[in-house]
Amino acid sequence: MEAKKKKALGIGVAAAVLVAGGSYVAYAKFDMFKSPRMMYLEAEAQNMSEVSKKIDKVSKEYNEVVDASVKGTTSQDIEISNLILDMAAPDPQVQKVLDLAKDSKIVIHSDADGANDKGTGKVDLFINKSNLIGAEFFYDKEKLGFGVPAIYNKYGYYNYKDKALVEQKFGQVGLPDRMPSNKDYLDILRIPNEELKPILADYAKLYAESIQDKQVTVKKGATFEADGVKKSGKELTVTFTADEYKQLMKKLVDKVSKDEKLQDLLYVRYDKLVELTKQNAPNESIKKMTKEEFKQKFAEFKKETDLDIDKADVGSGVKMVVFADSDDHILRRTITKEGKSKDENVVITIDNYKNKEGREHSSFEFAGKDEQGEDVKMNIVSLTKEEGGKTDRDLTFSVKAEENGRPIDMTLSVKGATTKNDKDKSKIGDMKVELAMDKNDPTMPKKLTFNVKSTQKLSGEVKIPALSAGNSVNLATVTDADLMKIQQEIQLGAQQFMIKNMQLFQ
């Protein structure tokens, strides 16, 4: 009898678990018993999770680049070729230049040794497969040098310690104290995930707590259709009155003005940027602020922005319509600032989905009016597909607008692929760039296209030229008499170069 009771109890517990589990699945999967606000916030939470994964991926790839550039020697080659300018009936001389450009290419090669702070670079112009002219530079911890071998057979250089003397001698100010390394730039841009994610989470929490039940409605059984994709899901509408929208903006601004984690993160990078520009571009250096002064700028930002928010015309308010599929993936977000009439609306549309070809589609579209009240439409579309170590990417940026009643239509597209090899840490890119000019302006070219090929890889030792009196000129110690002689030799070299390539310049 006791065994039967235990068995019955076990069956009862199992049944309860199944019922509870089934109820939870129904609750989570089919939105049973959830308020529209909860459905919306769960979709946003899912979106935040997806963004977080993308940040992790980008951060990992970025750190790999940093580690390679800091710890070892890297080389990069960039080739720009097949330059075509589509113009309406150019004259014969212009056509000759265009034909030369089509048969030309620019090749850029650089080597960098981050561990030992030295590197070299070279830019060559090829015409009809012949190297016409090139320029070189090199640097290490002590000096910076350069040369144009086709014009003059010696390098010019100066030691960093003699910078002030060189600036005085040549009347040139703003020479660098040293060449910035890849690490210098990457350290400014790199933001550790453990610092960034808690900051983003705080703003997400503030936003979520600001949304009220009355602001959100849901339309179940909605359909999303785009680019051959059809998905069923729900349409969530979040409505802000003009006052609610302004109050939300003020909350976010107040949060920024008091956010010490954000300010500390930014100040560290600001401080590095100031030091970098001070060393390498003194004329363009940024004014140095103490940490307290830097934070005071945020208080000033709040005061000024609050006034701007109060003055801003947001019409009757802002409406955001979010389409989420059955797994809470947000496929489309449409934000509308409603004006007095439909013609005055400002509409932003953001799409993120996988199209019928299996490519990740991300797009941003703005449609509204400029300050003069004329129509403006801007669209950015990114299509990517990763397979193995290869990433195919199409990026298109287009603008349609009006200027004094005349339509403007321009499109920039970059299409190609990047292939990574994890074994040798190399990356090869092959892209085609196309700029479609303003079709409504007969004085402008119709189209500009060119190809860009690039290769990045780990390399061996970086070798800079061994300098001597026979192959170099020290800019700090060169005499006026030497300079006169060098000027004459450069003029002669330039003349010989022109004579040798006379056919190209006729």
Side-chain angles (χ1 to χ4, degrees):
M1 187 71 177
E2 192 66 29
K4 288 183 179 180
K5 285 183 179 180
K6 287 182 179 179
K7 185 176 180 182
L9 180 62
I11 293 170
V13 169
V17 168
L18 288 173
V19 170
S23 298
Y24 176 77
V25 169
Y27 174 81
K29 189 73 176 174
F30 301 107
D31 299 326
M32 290 180 66
F33 314 116
K34 293 182 188 176
S35 68
R37 175 180 179 274
M38 182 59 68
M39 292 182 208
Y40 166 65
L41 293 179
E42 286 187 354
E44 290 288 13
Q46 175 66 28
N47 187 64
M48 190 72 180
S49 175
E50 291 166 9
V51 169
S52 180
K53 288 175 183 176
K54 289 178 181 177
I55 290 173
D56 287 341
K57 183 175 181 293
V58 171
S59 179
K60 181 183 176 184
E61 292 174 352
Y62 189 82
N63 288 331
E64 287 174 357
V65 173
V66 172
D67 290 341
S69 65
V70 172
K71 296 176 183 177
T73 303
T74 56
S75 72
Q76 183 174 45
D77 290 284
I78 299 173
E79 179 182 297
I80 302 170
S81 63
N82 202 29
L83 178 63
I84 300 174
L85 193 61
D86 185 359
M87 295 182 67
D91 65 55
Q93 287 298 322
V94 173
Q95 187 61 54
K96 185 176 180 180
V97 173
L98 295 179
D99 291 340
L100 277 176
K102 184 179 178 181
D103 293 329
S104 304
K105 65 179 179 179
I106 297 172
V107 179
I108 304 167
H109 175 82
S110 63
D111 291 302
D113 183 347
N116 295 298
D117 199 13
K118 64 179 180 178
T120 64
K122 189 177 182 183
V123 181
D124 290 311
L125 172 62
F126 287 79
I127 294 181
N128 295 326
K129 300 182 180 179
S130 296
N131 190 338
L132 179 65
I133 192 170
E136 304 174 21
F137 77 92
F138 54 88
Y139 66 91
D140 60 16
K141 293 178 180 179
E142 298 175 349
K143 59 186 173 292
L144 170 66
F146 58 91
V148 183
I151 303 295
Y152 189 59
N153 62 0
K154 290 184 179 181
Y155 296 107
Y157 77 95
Y158 73 93
N159 292 305
Y160 298 127
K161 63 182 179 63
D162 297 326
K163 185 187 86 161
L165 187 61
V166 175
E167 288 181 335
Q168 183 180 13
K169 183 185 289 287
F170 292 93
Q172 175 69 47
V173 294
L175 294 176
D177 291 328
R178 67 179 182 87
M179 280 296 288
S181 65
N182 288 339
K183 182 179 182 299
D184 291 324
Y185 293 114
L186 295 171
D187 279 350
I188 293 171
L189 298 172
R190 179 161 54 177
I191 300 176
N193 279 352
E194 58 270 21
E195 293 183 43
L196 180 62
K197 286 185 178 180
I199 293 172
L200 294 178
D202 285 345
Y203 287 88
K205 181 181 178 184
L206 183 151
Y207 175 73
E209 291 175 347
S210 300
I211 301 299
Q212 304 172 54
D213 284 326
K214 66 177 184 177
Q215 290 178 264
V216 188
T217 59
V218 61
K219 176 186 174 183
K220 297 181 180 179
T223 302
F224 171 85
E225 289 188 77
D227 198 16
V229 173
K230 188 174 182 178
K231 292 267 190 177
S232 60
K234 52 186 175 286
E235 198 173 80
L236 297 149
T237 301
V238 187
T239 304
F240 299 87
T241 64
D243 185 59
E244 287 169 343
Y245 178 75
K246 288 186 175 185
Q247 289 305 313
L248 175 60
M249 291 300 102
K250 284 188 174 182
K251 282 183 183 179
L252 290 169
V253 169
D254 184 64
K255 171 71 176 170
V256 169
S257 71
K258 298 173 181 175
D259 192 340
E260 293 198 358
K261 287 187 291 187
L262 174 64
Q263 292 168 18
D264 288 344
L265 181 146
L266 293 175
Y267 184 78
V268 169
R269 283 144 190 87
Y270 157 81
D271 191 50
K272 289 179 179 178
L273 180 61
V274 169
E275 288 303 313
L276 193 60
T277 55
K278 183 179 177 182
Q279 291 172 358
N280 300 288
N283 289 343
E284 301 172 17
S285 61
I286 304 167
K287 183 184 176 183
K288 172 81 170 180
M289 287 188 285
T290 65
K291 198 168 188 177
E292 289 69 29
E293 290 172 330
F294 185 79
K295 290 189 174 184
Q296 181 59 32
K297 291 293 181 183
F298 284 85
E300 294 172 12
F301 160 78
K302 171 179 166 51
K303 186 177 179 180
E304 293 170 3
T305 307
D306 280 350
L307 290 172
D308 290 340
I309 291 171
D310 287 334
K311 294 176 186 176
D313 178 14
V314 291
S316 59
V318 175
K319 181 172 70 176
M320 177 165 62
V321 179
V322 170
F323 181 91
D325 66 13
S326 57
D327 293 317
D328 280 336
H329 298 301
I330 295 177
L331 307 185
R332 172 169 291 168
R333 186 190 302 270
T334 305
I335 303 168
T336 305
K337 190 196 86 168
E338 298 179 332
K340 294 176 182 178
S341 67
K342 192 173 181 180
D343 289 341
E344 295 179 0
N345 286 357
V346 175
V347 182
I348 295 172
T349 306
I350 303 168
D351 283 1
N352 285 286
Y353 58 88
K354 187 173 284 190
N355 68 14
K356 62 181 180 180
E357 297 170 351
R359 307 179 85 182
E360 294 291 340
H361 174 113
S362 299
S363 63
F364 173 92
E365 182 179 278
F366 170 90
K369 294 185 181 294
D370 62 16
E371 293 179 353
Q372 284 71 44
E374 296 185 302
D375 291 334
V376 177
K377 189 172 184 179
M378 181 180 72
N379 197 300
I380 303 171
V381 179
S382 172
L383 298 172
T384 59
K385 184 174 184 179
E386 294 186 28
E387 196 168 357
K390 185 179 180 182
T391 302
D392 290 304
R393 179 175 284 109
D394 289 0
L395 179 65
T396 305
F397 172 77
S398 62
V399 176
K400 291 184 179 181
E402 289 185 8
E403 186 177 7
N404 299 323
R406 184 179 66 82
I408 297 171
D409 187 354
M410 299 180 73
T411 302
L412 172 66
S413 68
V414 181
K415 299 181 180 182
T418 303
T419 305
K420 289 175 62 178
N421 187 324
D422 291 331
K423 291 182 180 179
D424 62 7
K425 305 298 181 185
S426 66
K427 183 187 290 186
I428 298 173
D430 192 349
M431 299 284 178
K432 181 177 181 179
V433 181
E434 182 176 297
L435 175 61
M437 308 287 193
D438 187 357
K439 303 179 183 68
N440 300 294
D441 187 347
T443 65
M444 292 286 288
K446 296 178 182 178
K447 191 182 294 183
L448 168 68
T449 63
F450 58 91
N451 297 335
V452 180
K453 293 182 180 180
S454 64
T455 303
Q456 292 174 287
K457 61 183 179 181
L458 300 177
S459 60
E461 181 185 359
V462 173
K463 294 181 180 180
I464 65 174
L467 303 181
S468 66
N471 73 349
S472 63
V473 176
N474 187 332
L475 301 180
T477 60
V478 65
T479 66
D480 290 343
D482 289 335
L483 284 174
M484 286 287 290
K485 184 181 177 183
I486 291 169
Q487 187 176 9
Q488 291 171 357
E489 291 173 344
I490 290 175
Q491 287 175 346
L492 180 60
Q495 288 172 3
Q496 291 174 343
F497 174 80
M498 294 288 285
I499 292 169
K500 181 182 175 182
N501 298 284
M502 189 177 293
Q503 250 185 321
L504 297 175
F505 301 104
Q506 288 179 336

